[in-house]
Structure formats: structure tokens, C-alpha cells
Amino acid sequence: MSLVQVTDLTVEFGDLRAVDGLSFSLADGAALALVGESGSGKSTVASALLGLHRGTGARVSGSVEVAGVDVQQASDDELRRLRGAKAAMVFQDPLSSLDPYYAIGDQIAEVHRVHTRVSRRAARARAVEVLDRVGIPDAPRRSRSRPHEFSGGMRQRALIAMALACEPDLLIADEPTTALDVTVQAQILDLLHTLRQETGMGLLLVTHDVGVAAESVDDVLVMRHGRAVEHGPVGTVLGAPAEAYTRELLAAVPRVDAPRAPSGASGDVVLEAKGLRREFGRGKKAFAAVDDVSLTIHRGETLGVVGESGSGKTTLGRMLVGLLEPTAGEVRDEARTRVGVNPAVQMVFQDPVSSLNPRRSVGESIADPLRARGMGVAPFERSRERGRDEKRIRGRVTELLERVGLEGAHYDRYPHEFSGGQRQRVGIARALAADPRVIVCDEPVSALDVTTQAQVVALLGELQRELGLALVFVAHDLAVVRQVSDRVAVMRRGRIVEQGPADEVYDNPQDPYTKQLLAAVPALDPQVAARRRAERRAVAVT
């Protein structure tokens, strides 16, 4: 009997058919990846395996069996016993999955007690045991920490520990590495591989990152519009895809070994940072997030800034824009020291949802920089002129929306009515409204699937060529950074450890940290991925 058997699964939300007649199976101890773009139905399938659509208004048909339980016919009590004890799920955002008020160890112990009815002391001991098992250092002490005291990678490890507490037969991991930098991502993927080997559990991995699938599973099921496009061994599907959509998906994946043609940037310096330092905290608790960073940005070029979470990338970007004041050093624009927000330097943020006001139309958000520049400002009593100015603003916003691939009619729509890629286009349009010379892009594609990511990157390149923009591209995805950058600066612990032309830094890295980052990039070839995993394990042992 298969660990998972899905037959003709269909899930509908109102008029939307999110999953359409999907069938697949997963054997005991095997690993399968569901791969596809956002909206393909991957996460909907994962939720259906645990009956999480029950009571939501979704219409679910077909057959779903997990660890011998008929999920469709199971009672609520049977589903509760299934979740955690036989099948456990690790979600994309560990912060939203963990209670901020309770210690990590207490939360894991509670899950263990619900399913095993052991004593509090035994449950607590089990929590420490699984935290240690997933690589949390000093597990007895750290088990008393709350979620905000853990890094992103440690929180994800804690969620995996919680899932392991009851020794489930199946682990469902829904985008478990999306928000993590490459080295932490590699650690999480290595951990999942090791746990599979040692416990014999099955793994269902939901991901839009084809490289993550290559690192982690035996088989791949490619989804599109709720249907299966291609299904087979990971080496076959990724190495010799049979379907056109799979080939398109793979073609959109940025490659860390693919050099980029130079952009033809001029020698003019449009922005310069000298000795930048930014401290947070006071007294003995003060620390430098950025420490003595100097760089120059030339007209028409892209400077990539890479490093792990906490390396100081975003803090540097915010100082370049003027959103943060340096503790020391200066930012110079056209040979003048700039203090405060600089209209000539704009920012595209990582999360367009949180950077757009949900109560205002996207057109009004894009219009803000125009009004701030004085466009549309007229004396109150001159209502006719004010009306003409507002018409000019709406016309300019319409131009910007169309310039980034949206429609002028989208002016009156709200952020929730757009997809993630469309919202990021709105963010780019808003940055362009200020007519900048430099745009700082802070992880602009990290939350997007590979095809949408490729579209946004192509848009930025097109705008750069047409408008002569300089870009500072801040990201933890080294493959994307190589694809877009003329020069690259590698940051670690607030400092730049290596800087130079992109091809030189990638093809002949000098700093050990740069070499470590490049070695952690997922490989599309499963054999290469296995070799790298063995090399990382050997380094860890020594």
C-alpha cells in the first residue's frame, strides 16, 4: 500500500478550479516534489492531504488516502490523529506558524502531548531531543527561547523539529526554503535528506524552485493550472523534459554559471558611498550592521550586493536611498553629500504587499511621488487648474502602469486584486514616478516563481537600457545576481569581503566566504547535487 494515494483530486473555490483531476502516489520512504508557478495548485494539494480544506467552503472531490486514512471520509477525530502523528506539515513562513508568546520547546512539547499523552516532563525532554536532532545548538537552553529570538533558518529547523516530535510517516514541506539565503537553504535541504535516510519517512516537497527539487527528491510532478503536466524521476524530468511547459520552466531558471553580457555602462559616477557605518542599539548592546563600506555606482550599470541574512545588505540599501542615516561615513550624489531621502535614488522593496497601502488604489500609490515633486500642486482656490493637474497626474500614472506591463485601467484597483508579480510591477512604476537616476532593488524577486521572476528581471533590464538607470540589486540568490549584474559586492557581517566584475567574482572567487556561498547554490543536476551534499557533510564532520 502506498503512503499517499491521490486519485482524481479536484478542489474548487467558488468559480475557481484550483486542482483539476490530479492523481499521483507516493511510496513509503520516497520523496516527491510538486513543482510549478504560483497559482498552479501545489499548496492546495498539500492542504488536501491533511484535510485542511474542511470547513472552508472549498468543494473537494476525488479520493485522498494518507497513511491508510481516507481523508475525505475520515471524521474530525480521525483527522486530528492523522495530523502530526502520521503526517506533519512544515509551512513556508515559520513566524506565522509559531506562537510568539510561548517558548519553542513548550510548543513542541504540547504537540507531542496531544498525540502521545505522555507527562509534561517526558514531552519536554522529547522537545529538547528533536531540537538537538535538527541541529539547534545548545538545545536545552534554546528550547526556552521564543520565536523572535531565533533566526529564520533556526525557526524553520524548529518547525521541522515540531513535525518530527511524533515520528510521522510523511512530512509535507510547503516552500520550506523560499525566504532563506543559499547557505541556510542548503543546510535545511541537507537536514531533510538526512532525516529521510535515518527515519524512513516519506517527503512531499512543494516548491517553485526547480533547483530545490533537484536537491531533495526522487520524483517530480510538474503542475500547471491545477493539472499534472509531467511526472517522472527527477533526473529525467529536469535533464530531458518531454513537455514544452517543463522546458519553459527550466529555461526561466537563472544559472549561476551563465555569464552576463556587459550593459555598456558609462564611466559617470551617479552615487558614491564612503566609509558607511550603521550601528543599532546602545552601550554594550550596540552592534554595527554595516561597517566601513565604500562603493561607487555608475550610470547604466547594475551593482549586485549578495550575502547571507544579517550581512547588512538591506541596511546598506536603505542608507543609499536615505531611509537610514549613517552613524558614520557619507553618501554622495553628484559630488554632494546627501542627507535624508534623495528623490534621485528610489527603492523597490522585497514585499510589495507590505509596501503598498491596502486601502488605497495602486494608481494613488504611484501618484504620491509625482505630488511630492510638485506635479499637480495648485492653489486651493484655483479648482480648474487643480483639476487639470490631477488629470495630468492620472495620465502620467497611466503611462507608468503601461510602461511596466500593466493596464492604465488598473489605476483604480487595489493591491489585493493583483498577483505577486503584478504587485512588484506596481512597485517599480512607483519608483519610476520620481524620475530617479538610481533604483535600489531589495530582494525584488525572492518571493516570486521562476517565470514571474524572469519577467520582472527582464523588465528591470529593459527600463535600465531605455532610461539609463543605475541599479543596485540586493539579493541572496546568487544565480539571479549573476544574471543581472555588471559588478558584484559580497557582504559578510557588515563588511564587503570581495568586490569586482561579476564574471571574475563568480568564476574565480578569492575570498573563502564567496566560495562557500557559491558551493551552496542548488544544482539542477541531481548527481551534482548529491556530490555537493556529500562534500558539505564531509566539511561538517571535519
Side-chain angles (χ1 to χ4, degrees):
M1 184 179 68
S2 299
L3 176 61
V4 176
Q5 184 67 55
V6 174
T7 306
D8 199 27
L9 173 64
T10 297
V11 183
E12 296 174 309
F13 301 94
D15 296 331
L16 173 65
R17 180 167 289 188
V19 180
D20 189 4
L22 185 71
S23 299
F24 67 89
S25 62
L26 178 66
D28 288 329
L32 170 69
L34 300 183
V35 175
E37 299 171 281
S38 298
S40 61
K42 308 183 302 294
S43 294
T44 303
V45 173
S47 296
L49 296 185
L50 295 180
L52 296 179
H53 297 306
R54 184 171 294 187
T56 65
R59 298 189 302 276
V60 183
S61 61
S63 172
V64 178
E65 291 188 9
V66 177
V69 176
D70 186 333
V71 175
Q72 289 290 85
Q73 302 301 321
S75 66
D76 289 346
D77 285 341
E78 289 173 326
L79 278 183
R80 276 192 289 270
R81 287 193 292 271
L82 170 68
R83 299 166 184 163
K86 293 184 178 181
M89 195 163 183
V90 176
F91 294 93
Q92 176 177 350
D93 181 11
L95 264 184
S96 64
S97 305
L98 294 167
D99 192 315
Y101 293 102
Y102 291 93
I104 293 287
D106 291 341
Q107 296 183 57
I108 297 174
E110 183 64 23
V111 170
H112 189 54
R113 290 193 72 211
V114 165
H115 291 285
T116 61
R117 301 189 182 282
V118 297
S119 67
R120 290 184 182 275
R121 176 174 292 183
R124 180 75 188 184
R126 176 61 177 165
V128 172
E129 179 185 343
V130 291
L131 283 170
D132 181 69
R133 180 66 199 83
V134 300
I136 298 294
D138 194 7
R141 181 179 65 84
R142 296 312 300 267
S143 69
R144 296 189 290 274
S145 300
R146 288 172 172 75
H148 74 274
E149 298 177 273
F150 276 27
S151 67
M154 288 177 66
R155 283 194 292 263
Q156 199 62 283
R157 287 174 183 267
L159 272 190
I160 295 173
M162 186 180 293
L164 293 175
C166 299
E167 300 181 355
D169 300 318
L170 171 68
L171 180 65
I172 302 170
D174 188 3
E175 300 280 8
T177 63
T178 296
L180 305 178
D181 57 60
V182 287
T183 52
V184 179
Q185 174 179 267
Q187 293 166 10
I188 295 298
L189 296 178
D190 289 350
L191 172 62
L192 291 174
H193 182 81
T194 302
L195 292 172
R196 279 186 57 217
Q197 286 185 322
E198 295 181 354
T199 66
M201 69 178 182
L203 173 67
L204 182 78
L205 176 68
V206 174
T207 181
H208 66 252
D209 191 325
V210 182
V212 167
E215 291 266 348
S216 313
V217 299
D218 310 311
D219 295 283
V220 172
L221 192 159
V222 180
M223 292 187 66
R224 188 185 193 191
H225 303 322
R227 290 178 170 268
V229 173
E230 189 163 355
H231 186 190
V234 62
T236 302
V237 172
L238 300 187
E243 299 297 325
Y245 175 70
T246 309
R247 292 194 291 271
E248 291 172 11
L249 204 61
L250 288 167
V253 177
R255 309 296 176 101
V256 75
D257 56 353
R260 175 188 188 245
S263 65
S266 74
D268 299 337
V269 175
V270 292
L271 197 67
E272 185 178 13
K274 289 189 173 183
L276 287 185
R277 179 181 176 87
R278 175 66 194 201
E279 296 179 356
F280 292 97
R282 295 180 178 179
K284 294 181 179 179
K285 294 184 178 181
F287 72 97
V290 172
D291 187 11
D292 193 24
V293 167
S294 298
L295 49 82
T296 56
I297 301 154
H298 300 84
R299 188 181 310 279
E301 79 162 347
T302 299
L303 172 66
V305 181
V306 300
E308 295 174 289
S309 298
S311 62
K313 307 185 303 294
T314 294
T315 301
L316 172 61
R318 288 175 179 268
M319 284 193 287
L320 293 177
V321 175
L323 295 176
L324 281 176
E325 184 178 346
T327 305
E330 61 180 0
V331 176
R332 297 177 64 82
D333 170 27
E334 294 186 331
R336 298 194 307 271
T337 300
R338 285 281 184 175
V339 178
V341 175
N342 183 356
V345 186
Q346 293 293 308
M347 196 163 200
V348 175
F349 295 90
Q350 176 177 358
D351 182 7
V353 175
S354 61
S355 62
L356 293 171
N357 189 331
R359 295 181 176 85
R360 302 182 73 207
S361 71
V362 297
E364 286 300 298
S365 291
I366 296 170
D368 284 341
L370 297 174
R371 296 194 177 102
R373 292 170 57 201
M375 184 178 180
V377 177
F380 180 79
E381 64 274 7
R382 297 165 65 187
S383 60
R384 182 177 298 177
E385 290 189 21
R386 191 175 74 249
R388 282 198 294 264
D389 287 340
E390 285 301 314
K391 187 175 181 179
R392 287 172 54 218
I393 287 177
R394 191 177 184 100
R396 177 57 177 153
V397 171
T398 297
E399 291 175 5
L400 290 168
L401 284 169
E402 292 173 349
R403 185 64 199 82
V404 298
L406 299 174
E407 298 177 16
H410 289 157
Y411 186 108
D412 295 310
R413 292 189 181 182
Y414 289 83
H416 73 272
E417 299 179 79
F418 293 87
S419 68
Q422 289 176 321
R423 284 192 291 262
Q424 199 58 288
R425 289 173 184 267
V426 171
I428 294 170
R430 183 176 58 182
L432 291 175
D435 195 21
R437 290 188 296 274
V438 182
I439 295 181
V440 177
C441 303
D442 185 15
E443 300 278 7
V445 296
S446 63
L448 305 178
D449 58 60
V450 288
T451 50
T452 307
Q453 184 181 90
Q455 293 165 6
V456 172
V457 166
L459 172 62
L460 287 169
E462 185 180 328
L463 293 169
Q464 182 180 41
R465 289 188 295 273
E466 291 187 7
L467 304 175
L469 294 169
L471 300 178
V472 179
F473 200 95
V474 177
H476 64 254
D477 188 326
L478 275 77
V480 173
V481 169
R482 178 159 198 178
Q483 182 182 7
V484 303
S485 301
D486 300 294
R487 292 185 299 119
V488 173
V490 182
M491 291 192 69
R492 186 187 192 195
R493 297 175 182 171
R495 289 179 171 267
I496 292 178
V497 298
E498 188 161 358
Q499 184 175 185
D503 289 350
E504 290 184 14
V505 172
Y506 277 77
D507 295 337
N508 188 27
Q510 300 299 304
D511 192 87
Y513 177 68
T514 309
K515 297 177 182 178
Q516 177 186 340
L517 286 179
L518 291 170
V521 176
L524 288 178
D525 185 334
Q527 293 183 342
V528 174
R531 186 180 71 247
R532 288 183 178 179
R533 183 166 51 242
E535 291 171 352
R536 289 194 294 265
R537 183 179 298 177
V539 170
V541 170
T542 56

